Amino acid sequence: MLAHLSENERRHEEAQAHIRATIMNEFCEVMRKTGLPPMVVMRLAAQAVGSIYRETADAHSGPAACPCGWCPREGTDVDVLCSALLAACTRRMGRDLRSMAIAGTA
């Protein structure tokens, strides 16, 4: 199904699907275990993403920075994260057959 995509696009879509499924599973599990309402858990998830950004940016700054070459630009990076969140919140995601679990064989 993903044969028409470039290798980079395929890796991007696989990563996106994996992260989304992982976060959805944990989101549901946290609500089930804590009884907290969805928006409280969503806020906690957003805070977690922010803290992951901060930790990653810190690891890529200063004299002992990660050698991968990424240089955090906090203002721009936060704008990108906010734009991604806003776009995902306002866009109605249709059922994408590529991301659905296979139920069986024909």
Side-chain angles (χ1 to χ4, degrees), residues 11-101:
R11 288 185 1 220
H12 180 273
E13 288 197 6
E14 284 178 359
Q16 184 177 28
H18 176 77
I19 289 170
R20 186 185 187 289
T22 301
I23 291 172
M24 179 63 84
N25 288 338
E26 292 304 315
F27 174 79
C28 292
E29 184 69 8
V30 167
M31 284 197 318
R32 187 186 66 73
K33 283 184 174 180
T34 65
L36 292 171
M39 280 311 298
V40 170
V41 178
M42 295 246 184
R43 187 182 75 240
L44 295 172
Q47 289 171 334
V49 169
S51 71
I52 291 168
Y53 170 80
R54 177 77 275 140
E55 187 175 330
T56 304
D58 289 348
H60 288 81
S61 303
C66 174
C68 77
W70 178 61
C71 296
R73 290 177 176 74
E74 188 170 328
T76 303
D77 296 341
V78 171
D79 285 346
V80 167
L81 292 172
C82 289
S83 294
L85 179 63
L86 182 60
C89 286
T90 57
R91 177 180 34 151
R92 293 281 305 186
M93 299 270 296
R95 286 296 223 170
D96 185 349
L97 295 178
R98 293 175 294 178
S99 65
M100 294 179 77

